[in-house]
Each structure stands twice: as structure tokens, then as C-alpha cells.
Amino acid sequence: MRRNVSAPALLAAILASVSALHAAPGPGPRTPGPKTEKAPAMETVQIRLGTANGESVTATLGGGASARAFRALLPLTVELTDFNATEKIADLPKRLATEGEPPGVDPEPGDLAYYAPWGNLAIFYKDFTYSRGLVRLGRLDRIPDAFRKSAPVKVTIEAVP
């Protein structure tokens, strides 16, 4: 015997079945498990960037693999040169680990980053677009005036005790 079912009635029956499946308890009795605690926040580290003219700024590094690898290079003195009137860049003494990092980021002014394809440090003082291969290491508390000028800036980077 064939029944004629209207489309709205059929849709209502399907939705009711799906809803019942989601409301049904899982197999076997449910017993409360141990209380789960939130995963601990990634450890952050404070660093200081000091310029030759005595200006300094604090930055906070994230807890990713690249930030940890960068932290292991400190203390470090580099000469930051202007790039694209947007960021200051410097070569690092060695490449940083990037395992588990996103494929790229959309940097903002104040971002401390690592550009993996070139192996260099980048400090953004202007907004820029998404860049594949760019890894955010941390954030500056503020952007020093010396970073906004086109002249190179010698900077010593060290962990804050």
C-alpha cells in the first residue's frame, strides 16, 4: 500500500527523528567522570627591546614553538632596517622552529613576528595584509618612535627578569 505524504509532513518527521536521536542517551549508563579543569594558559614571557639612544619598550611573547625558539636566542643585538615603510626587519642568527604554528597571520602595528621564508625578525609599525609564512611571536606594549623612522635602529633584545 502506498501512502501519499506531503513534503512538509515528511520534513517534520525527519526533523523529529533527528531531534530524538540527539536527545537519546548514549550506550550504557552514564556515570560522571572526573571534573575536568581548563587547560593551563600558554606561558608568556616579557622581553625588553632597547635602542642605542636609550629608548626601550617591553613586549610579551606568546607560548608557541616559534616564540619559545626566539626566546632561546636572547639576549640578542640586531640592526633593524626599514622594509616597505611598514616594518623593521633583521636577520636572526638561526631559523626558528615553526611546528604547530598557523600558515600565516594578518599583522597589526605592534606585532613582533618571524617571517619563516626569509628567516628574519619583523616588527610591524603599520598595518599590513595577511602574509603566508609570517608567524606572530608576540606584541610590543607600544611602538618606539625610532621604529617609525626610515633609518636603521640597533636594538638589544633581552628577557625581563
Side-chain angles (χ1 to χ4, degrees):
M1 174 173 163
R2 186 169 182 217
R3 266 204 259 184
N4 287 332
V5 179
S6 69
L10 180 61
L11 180 60
I14 291 171
L15 289 175
S17 296
V18 169
S19 180
L21 285 174
H22 285 288
R30 298 183 100 185
T31 57
K35 284 189 175 184
T36 57
E37 298 195 18
K38 288 184 179 180
M42 296 294 267
E43 180 183 341
T44 58
V45 174
Q46 296 288 310
I47 61 171
R48 182 177 302 115
L49 291 81
T51 65
N53 70 0
E55 188 176 18
S56 70
V57 62
T58 303
T60 303
L61 292 180
S66 297
R68 288 191 308 271
F70 178 70
R71 166 68 177 89
L73 296 177
L74 304 182
L76 179 66
T77 299
V78 295
E79 183 169 89
L80 297 169
T81 57
D82 204 64
F83 185 75
N84 203 27
T86 303
E87 61 188 289
K88 293 290 192 191
I89 64 171
D91 290 331
L92 291 175
K94 70 180 209 174
R95 292 195 171 266
L96 304 180
T98 59
E99 293 81 29
E101 300 287 2
V105 296
D106 182 359
E108 298 176 2
D111 277 350
L112 178 69
Y114 173 66
Y115 187 56
W118 293 354
N120 70 296
L121 179 66
I123 301 173
F124 288 84
Y125 61 90
K126 286 188 181 171
D127 195 21
F128 197 65
T129 60
Y130 175 89
S131 299
R132 189 166 185 77
L134 190 65
V135 177
R136 184 175 289 118
L137 300 174
R139 294 261 321 144
L140 299 174
D141 291 343
R142 64 179 182 78
I143 302 168
D145 292 334
F147 289 16
R148 297 178 195 274
K149 297 176 183 168
S150 62
V153 181
K154 192 171 192 174
V155 175
T156 298
I157 307 169
E158 58 192 356
V160 175

